[in-house]
Amino acid sequence: MGDSVEHFVKRITFFCLMLCFAPLSVIATNTVGVNDPANINQNTVASEKKRITGRITDEKGEPLAGVSIFENEISNGTITNSDGLYQINVSSGAFLNFSFIGFENNTARIGSSSVYDIILKEVVNKLEETVVVGYGVQRKISAIGSQSMLKMSDVKVPSASLSTVLIGRMSGIVGVQRTGEPGKDAADIWIRGISTPNGASPLILVDGVERPFNDIDPEDIESVTVLKDASATAVYGVRGANGVIIIKTKPGIIGKPTVSVDYYEGFNRMTKAPELADGIKYMEAANEASYNMGQGYFKNYSEDYIENTRLGTDKLMYPNVNWRKEIFKDLARARRVNANIRGGSQMAQFYTSVSYYNETGMLKNNNYESYNSAIKYDRYNVTTNLNVQLTHSTKVDIGVQGYIAYGNYPGLSTQDIFSSTMEVNPVKYPVMFVVDGEQYIPGTHTQGAERNPYADAAMRGYRQTMKNRIQSNIRITQELDFLLKGLKFSAMYAFDVESARERIYGKRESTYYFKDRNNPYDAEGKPNLVVTWEGSTALNFNKSYSGEQKDYFESSFVYEKLIRGKHRFNAMAIYTQENKTYNEAVNIIESIPFRVQGIAARATYSWNDRYFAEFNIGYNGAENFPKDRRFGTFPAAGVGWALSNEPFWNSLKETVSFLRLRYTNGKVGSSSTGTNLTQRRFMYIEQYAWDNLYGSIFGTSYRDGARIVNPKTSLEWEVATKQDLGLDIKLFNDDFSLTVDWFKENRKNILRERNESLPGYAGFQSVPYGNVGESKTIGIDGNFEYYKRLNKDCALTFRGNMTWAHPEWVDNDIPERLYPWRNQKGYSLTSIEGYTALGLYKQTDIDMINSWIVLPDAEKSNTSQPFPTPPSVSLIDVRAGDIIYKDMNGDGKIDDNDKSWLGNGDVPEINYGFGFNIDYKALSVGMLFQGTAQANRFVGGIVRPFNDSGDGAVYSNINDRWSESNPSQDVFYPRLAYGSDALSNQNNFLNSKWWLKDMSFLRLKTFQISYRLPERWCNKVSLRNASVYMMGLNLFTFSKWKLWDPELATDNGTKYPNTTSYTIGLNFNF
Amino acid sequence: MNKKNINFIVGLVTLLGLMSCSDYLGQVPTDILTLQKVYETRDATLNNLATVYSSMPAEFEDRFTATGYANGTSGAWNAGCDDAEFVWDFNGAQIINNGSLNSETGFVYSYWNKWYKGVRAATLFMDNISICKQLHDGDLEQWTAEARAARAIYYFYLLRLFGPIPIIDAAISEQAPLSELNASRNSMTDVTTYILSELDLAINTGLLDNIKLDGAQAISSDKGFGHIDKVIARAFKIQVKLLAASDLFNGSNSYFSDLANKDGGKLFPTYSDAEKKQLWADAASEAKSFIQDYVGNGYELTRIYTNGKFDAYLSYREAVRGATSELLNLSGTTSAAEMIWFNKQGNASLMQYNRTPKHFGYASDVRCSGGMAATQESVDAYFMANGQKPIIGYESDGKTPKITDNTGYTESGFSTENYKDPVTGRVLAPKGVWNAWIGREPRFYADITFDGQKWLYEGSGVVYSRFQYSGNSGKGVGNSNDYTKSGYVVRKSAPLTSWTNNDRVSIMIRLAQIYLDYAEALNESNPGDPDILKYLNLIRERAGIPQYGPGIGQIAISDDQATIRQTIRNERRVELAFENCRYFDVRRWCTAEISTSLDYQGKAIYGMNIDKNGAGFFVRTKIEDRSFEKKNYFFPLPLKDLVINQNLVQNPGW
């Protein structure tokens, strides 16, 4: 049985391969029929033909190069040259067709004249406009799935990472840029929010293949499309549950080759550098903190000490260091140059580009070191797309892209370096001791903790990263009109390789401090130092490798038919498979290729462009499920109605030129439990591993234990049911367009590790996964655009988009708690648990508490306690200025049962962007604002000051605190106390609403001015056109949160900040 | 479009569909590690047995509560009672001490879950060992018995911490529906009966007799140290019986008498006094037979002679140091002589880092944290060299000591010469130290590092530990969070070499404890039995202090049962200090709640004033308020399991 199945499979595979090569044989037989249209007029000059010349321009009078001109129904044609001129020999009375991508076709009947100057109208908001859909394109009017599209020609941003470009520009995108570190600044992106705990990242396709997209040069991208609802993504089945982003790189175009060069150079600075308090402010606060703890506690710093610091005469003994300034430069640099050539004939078109990106970071280097640890990131990209029309019915598209990127970083991660600057207060020790020209790193901790931030940044060695990637794809499209008119076959094979390595040259030097502060200097005035922690000045070496290989294959049939001009049928069937392996796999399970496989089909029907119906289905297999459950079917259907195309609408067309309603409903599946290599896989197979965490010592030898890493579990697909109701409207002669979508998603059978629903006494070594969760998401997204040409010289564009997505748990697999507020059900998947802070104790409250405490026990039991017993401390320990918590269950004490779910986490529920462009003659000005709302985070670290050892730095807003002299409720910090064993710190530093801070913001994301240089200047240096531009990125940020850039993924400000950049660039074509 | 073409297309699409049904996704090799394969060889089976043992507590890692090596069940016990205090607030003991422990505290679940993991691993091992076809004769019986004994020991640890717990007899399947996860707690009597019968079964069906006596075999991986033998199993039988007889478990504590399952079944017994006495008698006879069988057969108290004289300080110090390299030395001069149950897995340098002071400015060999402070209360507990107890309690302020007259104890002045051991002449304290630390018993000098004491390791130069604010190990130097909060650092088991030396085992049960168990149980079941003072005196004799009794040089003592009880407890506190015993002892005895008791755990703890230099340092100063409520006798059951399984009832007060 098994053999015969295998045999059968082999035959089928063979058949499919034949199918892929079928078009090649067609090529072989049809080559005779192929002519280069550009040569036709030279080869076939016939006496009865007439020579026609002309110039083809757009509406602005700009010549159009590469316009196809064909004599009707004869294989005779040509294209325009770079000046828009053409000549062709045609029969008198013939029709000449003029066609050019992005423009309306035009036809001229050849009469007596021999000169035909044609003006082609640009296609704007027209019915024939196409949009990208899953595995293809569709006429925009009949595409009823919810999607949004960004043409990259509209966008210019000085950023290496494409993901940062999308935020604020596309509806449906929820995103945050978590760090601005060069080479690592890609944003986290989701589509319509996070509705599953299992890696909610969308599927990202570059030229049809799942690929990372951040390292593609934005200049090489033609368009970005986001598919949001089930109807749009069902065909991706397994991979489409979290939405799909489709990126298309620039294809070749017909026309004389044009060289285009874009160069910019700019400066970066931090959007918001964390400001720490200086030494004096720090010491005053530290003294108050220790004073607040009551009698018996020292003031940490004596008056003399503070005065000496203020005087600054002995900066080694009495330092006052601004660690951030010692470590970070104010400015860094970024530059990019992209040069591309694009052109081609009717038969073959190409796009090829090279680009170089370079960015430096803001960390300082130490000139004493023999190496350079300054942050630097260089990337070289190449992209080539070749589109060849092999025969009139056969097309081959070949794409090759690649890059190599080099990074140089300090030995420690920037996050560690930032942490260092905050763990050490400004008066702890100086930046450096220099004795006889030798550097001695100051440090006082006997175990090397509370490291010297400057040494961490500049003297811990360096890291070099290298990453390269080559991705290639070849597609063959064969029209099968000979079988069935309107039928096309297409097959694609893609192969990508990536490899990356990191080399870490690290060291950690000894630290020194005064042997005795009472006797700090020797007779010569040199400091008497002693080693406090022993390190080494020699570099050690460490390395890591990563990377992946992927191959992908798809083959599809597409069928299109228009019957009697009214009934339009469209059908597609596709087979796909993907195979991917990782270099860094460390065990068998990780080393097994990650595979997905599926077939999908789509059928659409429209009648007279008024009524639309669409049916999609995906049939997909996933590796995590047993054979009988491996394949899932995911159908989706949609209907649409273009009211404005109804006859009765004619009277309204003046104002409402277009109105369409859409509704889709369908299912999409998900099978993975995460996005990383180490996710649990093949859950239907029992898997054990030898594990030293489960071992023991017998005799003298340690034995690794056996651990079950995956108990055999039979699971099913996680299924998202998505509904989308959309409205598209265009007003005022199409000048204003608006799209709004209401959406709702129900996700069931969420794959979760059953940590919360299986009891601890079962003693499982590995908790099985189950189809146990359920979530719900509702939201709206939409965008508008208003375009107005005021006159010949001036045009205006306004744009805006907004996404609101609210996901919540319906069932998170955690059994009901005693108190309803403790259940996360009904709250966001990213919300967090904490206490409700009601304010600060006033002195009158404390007096009330004290008079109650001294009551005799008998009386106490008759009177109610004035305040609930706070967590971690007893009531007698609270002081004025401490945080009061809400006793949710009224049991007189604050404990875990008084925690409730707060906020919705740091993934914003609302993302929006808006901006405008004004074109006036050669000048163009554009602005884009981007914002988020409903994002919040518990802040911690040194924002809760004097915690841990108490020795960390404090933020510069430390004076905004409760104190006896400022007994205000409206302060940032409650009463200060020193050290984490301080009772008030234990009370005040719990996760509560007090520390839950609103991280929403609005920022001027880009501001751009460009000027097109006059044509006469360009012509002198034989440029076709040229423009200069200035850009600003992240120029202003408005936010309630002031201590650091609210977009960063940090609760304490220790991330490398996002950057503000100022850029000047030049762009020219020839 | 003709029919042929349609057929062609339909055929192709069908083929595509069929192709997708091929085994493109079924690519996992059948030879991956599965249950059959992890028991394929004898060696692999032994690895599975290692898994069974992997939840045994590695107490050296107690800085990181309930984490650490192996499966991480290190306790919060030394600093969770009045023995000690950690400087680091991340230590779990802080949560116990400040009263914020609750049913959602992370380590509450960790202990619960990890010991049950051990239980399940043992059950699975017993179920699956027969898969292995390469076992030698006797392996199956021995290893099965060990798994059974290990499971019983896990239940003992669970019982001691949580009170009566559910007995999960068979391994629950990961696929079991929730209806099969509705276990309820077994009663105290059920649990102890179960543990004892399982230990008996293991003893009778294959446990090795006495690993120590097996010579070279003792370091082999299949029959050597690390395996449970009959000695260990019987030592645990004593622990279980002692627990069952103690007030907290025998139904004497009324706070727990109403604890019942949902079906009304009471979890704690209601025994008559006679029945309680019988429980004590059981414990005593269990201990007695242990002593009869093993003392002299590989087990004895460690005794070391220096220049022909019995060296009490060295004997005790080495008895509690536990070196792996000395395990085969049965001459009686190492801890191997009295060690019964120990853990070799922990990272000793973690413990040694806690117990070696900061020593700022000295070589890294001796430069640590001193992060585990001994409390003033534990310092006060040590006897004088003359065998008298210097401090018998505190005034109502909880701070001022009640100093016994004529013991020689004084808190004024400083020594003017080295304090030497009266027998050996060994210097126990250098001159210039506070007089309160002079004239104490040898165990004091082995267990406590105080201000001015010389450090043990002199390989990188002599160091005197200074705990005053600006001293080399004081709070005020080094700007680090590595200092003692009391001005004392626990010295017991501290290294004689560099603190990074990992040649250590952590002691869980040693013979001295069995003696004290025996004395205690006998005093409860048969007061006046001469064995009581005999075994108590064996401890004191080894400690180098006068024994109790009417003889010359002995300390007269009333034979009143209550007096003897307190005397045994006082001895136990000192002998087993910092060995993770006291936390459970004060609970077992139900004395943790009694404010007049020396065992009261609700009292603030004290130390020297580490914020001062000079005279200001030598002032008893509060370190930390501590709370103890009746509910603290047991940990709560983790809330997570209670919400999943409504059949589980919570301990009272939580």
Side-chain angles (χ1 to χ4, degrees), chain A residues 298 484 699 712 755 761 980, chain B residues 1 89 175 181 344 611 640:
Chain A
F298 278 143
L484 174 65
K712 195 172 170 174
N755 277 319
Y761 62 79
S980 51
Chain B
M1 177 165 162
D89 60 277
Q175 313 316 327
L181 297 168
K344 286 167 73 175
D611 285 324
K640 190 190 124 178

Side-chain angles (χ1 to χ4, degrees), chain B residues 186-189 256-261 263-270:
Chain B
N186 288 85
S187 74
M188 180 64 205
T189 321
F256 296 96
S257 55
D258 289 336
L259 180 61
N261 274 332
D263 65 5
K266 292 269 170 67
L267 295 181
F268 283 92
T270 45

